[in-house]
Every structure is written in C-alpha cells, then in structure tokens.
C-alpha cells in the first residue's frame, strides 16, 4: 500500500511538471509584466496591438462551424437512427474518415479542387463562378464543417437511439403531430447531448491550426492559432503577444467547458430503464429512401470524395499545367518520394522514428498513470485522472507555447529545447490521454479477485502484475500505442513549433511543399502518410479481432 501511494504521488508530480506547469506558466507570463502583476494585461495587449479582429474572427468562425456541423449532422443522425439506413453499419465507419483525416490535408484538397483552373473548372468549365465565391469565409466554414460534423453526428445519433419509439408513440396517442413531437419531445431530450457536441466543436474550431494556416491565410482570414504561431515562429519573436493570445484562448476554452458541464447537468434525462423500448422506424416509402441515400451520397462526396480526389490526382500529375488527362499521369513522384536518402524519405523516417519513440513512452507512462488512478476513490487519484485529461481539454497551440517557454527557461536544469527530445516530449504530452483512458477502461474491467487469486497461490506483487494483470491490459495498451503512433505520424502543430531547424517530418514536408508550390511531391507524401496510418489501424484491428482477450 505504501509503494502504491508513493507511485501515485510520483505520477501526480510528473503530470504536474509535464502538463500543469506549462499551462500555469503561460497564464503567469501573460499577467506578469515588467516585474508587476497585471490581471488585465492580456486584454490590454490585444487592444494595444489591434488584435481584436483576430479574436472576433475566431469567435465568428467557431459559431459558424457549429451551425454548419448542425446542418450536416442533425439530418444524418435522424436518418441513421430512424430510417432503414440504420442497418448499414458500414456507413458509420466511412463517416469517420473525414474526422480521421488531418485538417490541413483536407483543406489542401479543397484548395486544389476549387482554385482558378482547378479540378472543378477542368471537369466542369461552366463552374468558374463557384470557384470565385468559394475562397471566402463561407468556404473556410464549409471545409471545417465537413471535417468536424462526424463528431456531432455520432453524439446525436446515439442520443436519438436512446430515446426509443415509446415516447413518440405516446405523443401520437395524445394527438401530437410529427412536428409537434419533434419540437416538444425529441429536441428537449437530445438538447444536452447537442450542447455537449456543439461546445466541443466550438473548442476544436478555436484550437484548429491546419485549415486556418492553409485556407485562412489564402483569403486573409487570421485567427488566434495562426497569430500565436506567427508570433513565435517569425522574426521578431514576440512572446508577450503569444502568451497573451494563448492565455485568452485557454480562458475561453475552459469557460466553455464549464458552461457545457452546467448545461449537461441541468438538462440530462434518464432515457435507459429496465423496461426496454421499441424502436420506431420511418421512411419506408421508396422515394423517401431514395432521398435519404441522395443526401448521404452527396455528403460523403463532399467530405471524402472531393478532397481525396484532389490529393490523389495532384500526386499523380506530371505537369500541373497540363491538367487532368490520362497522358499526364505518372508514378514518378512516388518513386522520388520513397528514394532512400531523399529529403522526403528522411522526413518520413523522421516521422516514423519520432512517432515510435513517443508511442512507446506514452504507453509506459500512460499505463503507470492509469494503474495509479485505479478506481479514483481518493483525492490524489482523482487529481491524477484530471491532470492526465488536460491535454485533451486545452488547445494544442496553448500547450505547445507553454512547453516551449518552460523547457527553454534559463532555470530549467534539463535543456532539451531545439532537440529531438523536445519533439518526442511534446508528442507524449499531447497524446498521453489516449493511452491513459484506454488502459484505465481496461483496468476497470478486471475483478480484484484475479489479483487476490495470484497472491493466494504465493505470487509476489511483481509476478502477479507480470503474469496476470499485464497480459489482460495489453489490448488497452496496444490501442493507446496505435492511436499515439498514428496521430504523431502526421502531427503538424507540434512539429512546426518545436522541430529543430534542420529537421522535417512528413507533416512539415507536406506543409512546406504546398507553400512552395511543389504540389505533386507534397500530395504524394499526404497519400503515403494517410495510407500508412490507415493500413496500420486495419492491421491492429484485425489482430484484435483474430485474438481473443479474456478479462
């Protein structure tokens, strides 16, 4: 017991250094100006440097993307919960593709498709007017909504499924029309779930960097994340401006999390009981099913078909000026990309090496933290649980600014900034919550009698852990490792901010090639990166399905 308490204390201390200290340091540096404490310094900095437009741009974009995701996700959630389309479970997997695609890659695909003389004009010459209107705030909202709507869709679909058909039938018995039932029965019951999903999307939009960095800069629409990155990455470096913007972004996100918790607590209803419920399926008519399929196909075409068509087409073109033609296709760029010793191959191997180290370290730390949390009955365990989730609740840009300032501070005894170690550390901090949650969920399924049985038969604690507990935790550890590895492999924000000057990863290589106009090589790297991570996920899922894990 004493060893366990010591392990929990050390885990809490390490999380405080890795996660809490950088966030506190950003907040402290934003209000500690010239040796004096000024709580209004961040607001004053924003006003003095005329950054109010950047702040308002972020808020407008967040509200607009929430509205766009609602328009896309709500009808789809209804169709997949209340119509015969619900039996097509494969659609749920396909609909996750936009959310699993890195935002900057999806944005690049849309730019290639909609730009003047882009693929849309080449396929449909009369659609030139569409391109001229797309490069605006509307286009940016469209791209980000198509990326984030699957998140809201899954939340709304599950909420609608939980309602069941009994409540609708009860309303119909009392003479309620369809629209009245939707307005007075369905919408209030899914309201808390919608608010939770909408606020999560709002926070993700505020924290998003990839789309604003590619599409937003093209239309001159700058937001908080791009301004923070420019303040640190471009000369003259302005840490005061960066910390002020980062602290305001952090404050806004934490306030939204607090509002979400209040709304969910006040508007939650018990929808699952012991009596069970009967599902009510609508839309049996042929024209209704046809209309539903048209909506789903159009949505999939916009969210998946257009960006991936553009990315793959650009990666296969000999010359951009020759446009879409069979004679203009080649695999030469893939050959150049995968040539050993080439800059692109070095970037890819750098990504794989850094992701491998980060995934292994994250699994080791995450398993330790998850075992320290246990059932989270005591305050230190609950604090460890809360600290381990912080990287998922704050914007990546804020966290990376804090990590840079802490690990580059003169008082820090270990100087890893501007080294490969800093990149690995940033990846670990970013994606540690995945491993902690996977292992914690798996550990919660293990009955205490398993450990007790091992001790009864004379097993020492380390033997019991190695031969009983660890094999049963392996599925959660493998899932956490896989998630950390795949996301680290294509992480852009951390790579842009903390990579040493002479080093590139696949994400920074794609970003640099796109910025420099070398589209074919950049898009070939995008195809390889997405294909590699997708293939790895399929292999791990197949391994898990073929092997039976007993808990």
């Amino acid at each position: 017991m004493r060893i366990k308490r010591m392990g929990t204390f050390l885990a809490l201390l390490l999380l405080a250094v890795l996660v809490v200290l950088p966030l506190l340091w950003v907040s402290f540096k934003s209000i500690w100006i010239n040796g004096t404490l000024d709580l209004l310094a961040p607001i004053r900095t924003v006003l003095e440097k005329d950054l109010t437009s950047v702040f308002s741009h972020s808020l407008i974009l967040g509200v607009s993307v929430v509205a766009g995701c609602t328009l896309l996700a709500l009808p789809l959630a209804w169709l997949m919960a209340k119509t015969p389309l619900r039996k097509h479970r494969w659609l749920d997997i396909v609909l996750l593709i936009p959310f699993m695609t890195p935002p900057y890659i999806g944005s690049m695909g849309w730019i290639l498709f909609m730009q003047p003389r882009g693929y849309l004009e080449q396929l449909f010459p009369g659609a030139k007017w569409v391109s001229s209107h797309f490069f605006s705030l509307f286009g940016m909202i469209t791209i980000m909504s198509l990326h984030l709507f699957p998140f809201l869709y899954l939340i709304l679909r599950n909420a609608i499924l939980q309602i069941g058909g009994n409540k609708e039938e009860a309303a119909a018995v009392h003479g309620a029309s369809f629209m009245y039932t939707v307005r007075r029965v369905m919408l209030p019951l899914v309201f808390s779930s919608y608010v939770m999903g909408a606020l999560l999307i709002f926070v993700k939009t505020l924290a998003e960097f990839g789309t604003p960095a590619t599409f937003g800069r093209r239309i001159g629409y700058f937001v908080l994340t791009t301004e923070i990155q420019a303040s640190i990455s471009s000369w003259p470096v302005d840490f005061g401006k960066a910390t002020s913007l980062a602290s305001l972004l952090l404050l806004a996100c934490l306030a939204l999390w607090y509002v979400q918790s209040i709304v969910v607590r006040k508007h939650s209803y018990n929808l699952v009981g012991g009596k069970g419920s009967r599902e009510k399926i609508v839309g049996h008519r042929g024209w209704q099913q046809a209309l539903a399929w048209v909506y789903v196909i159009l949505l999939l075409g916009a969210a998946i078909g257009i960006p991936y068509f553009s990315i793959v087409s650009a990666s296969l073109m000999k010359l951009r000026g020759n446009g879409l033609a069979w004679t203009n296709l080649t695999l030469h760029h893939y050959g150049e990309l995968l040539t050993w010793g080439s800059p692109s191959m070095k970037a890819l191997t750098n990504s794989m090496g850094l992701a491998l180290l980060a995934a292994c370290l994250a699994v080791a730390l995450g398993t330790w933290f998850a075992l320290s949390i246990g059932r989270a009955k005591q305050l230190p365990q609950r604090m460890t649980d809360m600290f381990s989730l912080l990287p998922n609740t704050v914007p990546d840009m804020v966290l990376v600014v804090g990590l840079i300032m802490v690990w580059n501070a003169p008082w820090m005894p270990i100087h890893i900034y501007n080294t490969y170690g800093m990149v690995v550390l940033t990846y670990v901090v970013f994606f540690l919550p995945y491993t902690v949650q996977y292992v914690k969920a798996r550990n919660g399924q293990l009955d205490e009698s398993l450990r007790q049985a091992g001790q009864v038969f004379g097993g020492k604690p380390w033997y019991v852990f190695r031969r009983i507990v660890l094999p049963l935790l392996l599925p959660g550890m493998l899932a956490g490792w896989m998630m950390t590895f795949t996301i680290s492999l294509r992480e852009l924000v951390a790579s842009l901010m903390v990579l040493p000057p002479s080093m590139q990863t696949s994400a920074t290589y794609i970003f640099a090639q796109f910025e420099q106009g070398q589209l074919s090589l950049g898009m070939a790297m995008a195809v390889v990166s997405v294909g590699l991570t997708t293939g790895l996920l399929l292999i791990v899922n197949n391994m898990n399905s073929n092997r039976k894990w007993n808990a």
Side-chain angles (χ1 to χ4, degrees):
M1 185 63 67
R2 183 178 179 183
I3 295 177
K4 187 175 181 180
R5 284 199 299 267
M6 180 63 68
T8 302
F9 174 76
L10 291 176
L12 186 60
L13 180 63
L14 184 58
L15 280 170
V17 173
L18 293 178
V19 180
V20 180
L21 180 60
L23 297 176
L24 291 177
W25 195 250
V26 168
S27 302
F28 174 74
K29 294 296 289 185
S30 66
I31 59 177
W32 185 259
I33 308 298
N34 297 326
T36 59
L37 187 65
D38 186 358
L39 297 178
L40 298 178
I43 299 177
R44 191 174 292 110
T45 300
V46 169
L47 295 176
E48 290 177 354
K49 299 192 176 184
D50 195 23
L51 298 173
T52 53
S53 60
V54 174
F55 201 81
S56 63
H57 282 176
S58 294
L59 296 179
I60 292 170
L61 183 63
V63 173
S64 302
V65 171
V66 168
C69 288
T70 303
L71 292 175
L72 296 175
L74 187 57
L76 184 63
W78 177 270
L79 293 175
M80 294 297 294
K82 292 293 185 180
T83 71
L85 263 67
R86 59 179 294 172
K87 65 183 179 181
H88 299 284
R89 307 308 299 174
W90 58 270
L91 282 173
D92 286 338
I93 300 175
V94 175
L95 287 166
L96 285 177
I97 294 177
F99 191 66
M100 293 299 294
T101 302
Y104 62 94
I105 291 179
S107 176
M108 291 172 184
W110 272 100
I111 292 174
L112 294 173
F113 191 80
M114 300 299 295
Q115 67 185 358
R117 293 298 304 157
Y119 301 138
L120 177 63
E121 287 189 25
Q122 295 179 39
L123 294 172
F124 307 101
K128 184 177 181 179
W129 63 275
V130 178
S131 301
S132 61
H133 289 85
F134 186 79
F135 285 91
S136 61
L137 178 60
F138 169 77
M140 190 171 177
I141 295 168
T142 300
I143 294 172
M144 299 187 75
S145 299
L146 288 169
H147 170 67
L148 291 172
F149 86 89
F151 189 81
L152 185 59
Y153 152 71
L154 290 175
I155 292 176
L156 291 177
R157 190 209 62 182
N158 291 336
I160 294 173
L161 286 174
Q162 287 182 349
I163 294 174
N166 296 348
K167 296 174 180 61
E168 296 177 70
E169 293 174 356
V173 167
H174 288 82
S177 64
F178 173 76
M179 290 306 300
Y180 185 87
T181 302
V182 171
R183 181 168 56 89
R184 298 301 299 272
V185 178
M186 302 293 291
L187 292 181
L189 291 177
V190 302
F191 179 71
S192 63
S193 297
Y194 170 74
V195 169
M196 181 179 67
L199 288 179
L200 284 172
I201 287 176
F202 189 85
V203 170
K204 286 182 175 293
T205 304
L206 290 183
E208 177 56 46
F209 173 78
T211 302
T214 52
F215 192 91
R217 286 177 178 173
R218 186 180 180 113
I219 63 174
Y221 197 89
F222 301 99
V223 295
L224 286 170
T225 51
T226 54
E227 199 68 26
I228 293 171
Q229 191 265 344
S231 300
I232 294 180
S233 303
S234 303
W235 184 261
V237 175
D238 192 343
F239 276 104
K241 176 181 173 182
T243 54
S244 296
L245 292 175
S247 62
L248 290 176
L249 181 57
L250 176 62
L251 180 63
C253 292
L254 293 178
L256 287 171
W257 284 114
Y258 179 71
V259 170
Q260 172 200 306
S261 65
I262 294 176
V263 172
V264 171
R265 187 168 59 250
K266 288 186 176 181
H267 295 276
S268 295
Y269 303 94
N270 295 324
L271 299 176
V272 180
K275 295 181 179 180
S277 62
R278 182 175 61 257
E279 299 295 339
K280 181 179 179 182
I281 306 299
V282 299
H284 288 287
R285 298 177 182 177
W287 68 269
Q288 292 174 329
Q289 293 191 43
L291 192 62
W293 274 111
V294 168
Y295 178 77
V296 172
I297 291 172
L298 289 176
L299 189 56
L300 291 176
I304 303 173
I306 289 177
Y308 276 96
F309 169 80
S310 303
I311 293 167
V312 174
S313 298
S315 69
L316 295 173
M317 281 192 178
K318 295 179 182 177
L319 295 173
R320 288 178 56 197
N322 292 343
L324 292 172
W326 289 109
T327 56
N328 195 34
L329 301 182
T330 181
L331 294 174
H332 172 73
H333 304 297
Y334 288 93
E336 182 178 350
L337 179 76
L338 300 176
T339 299
W340 191 258
S342 64
S344 53
M345 193 61 184
K346 289 180 180 178
L348 187 59
T349 53
N350 285 339
S351 288
M352 295 188 68
L354 293 170
L356 182 63
L357 288 173
C360 293
L361 188 56
V363 164
L365 292 176
T367 302
W368 172 25
F369 296 153
L371 293 174
S372 300
I373 293 168
R375 306 288 178 178
K377 295 180 179 180
Q378 299 178 355
L379 180 61
Q381 293 173 323
R382 291 196 293 269
M383 290 182 64
T384 303
D385 193 12
M386 181 182 67
F387 288 170
S388 69
L389 287 176
L390 268 180
N392 265 0
T393 58
V394 300
D396 291 347
M397 188 62 71
V398 176
L399 190 55
V400 75
V401 169
L403 288 170
I404 290 173
M405 298 186 70
V406 166
W407 292 95
N408 195 34
W411 47 264
M412 177 58 66
I414 304 174
H415 295 283
I416 62 172
Y417 180 70
N418 223 13
T419 66
Y420 295 175
M422 183 67 187
V423 186
V424 174
L425 175 67
T426 307
Y427 287 171
V428 170
V429 173
F430 271 23
F431 309 122
L432 187 63
Y434 296 111
T435 300
V436 173
Q437 292 306 304
Y438 283 126
V439 177
K440 188 176 72 172
R442 187 73 183 180
N443 187 48
Q445 298 172 357
L446 305 184
D447 195 281
E448 191 63 28
S449 61
L450 294 171
R451 297 179 176 88
Q452 294 171 356
Q455 294 172 357
V456 166
F457 284 95
K460 295 182 179 180
W462 172 246
Y463 183 87
V464 172
F465 173 77
R466 181 169 56 88
R467 297 302 299 271
I468 298 176
V469 178
L470 187 60
L472 295 174
L473 293 180
L474 278 178
M477 296 171 63
L478 181 61
W481 187 93
M482 199 66 236
M483 185 64 70
T484 302
F485 181 81
T486 54
I487 302 179
S488 299
L489 198 61
R490 56 198 192 192
E491 168 60 28
L492 178 63
V493 175
S495 301
L496 280 176
M497 300 287 282
V498 300
L499 274 178
S502 60
M503 185 180 185
Q504 277 192 322
T505 63
S506 59
T508 59
Y509 182 86
I510 294 169
F511 191 80
Q513 296 300 313
F514 185 82
E515 292 288 305
Q516 297 169 8
Q518 301 291 332
L519 293 178
S520 296
L521 281 174
M523 295 304 99
M525 178 67 84
V527 173
V528 170
S529 298
V530 173
L532 183 62
T533 53
T534 304
L536 289 172
L537 286 174
L538 291 175
I539 291 172
V540 171
N541 287 336
N542 185 59
M543 290 170 58
N544 284 337
S545 62
N546 291 336
R547 180 171 182 177
K548 294 182 179 180
W549 304 93
N550 298 317

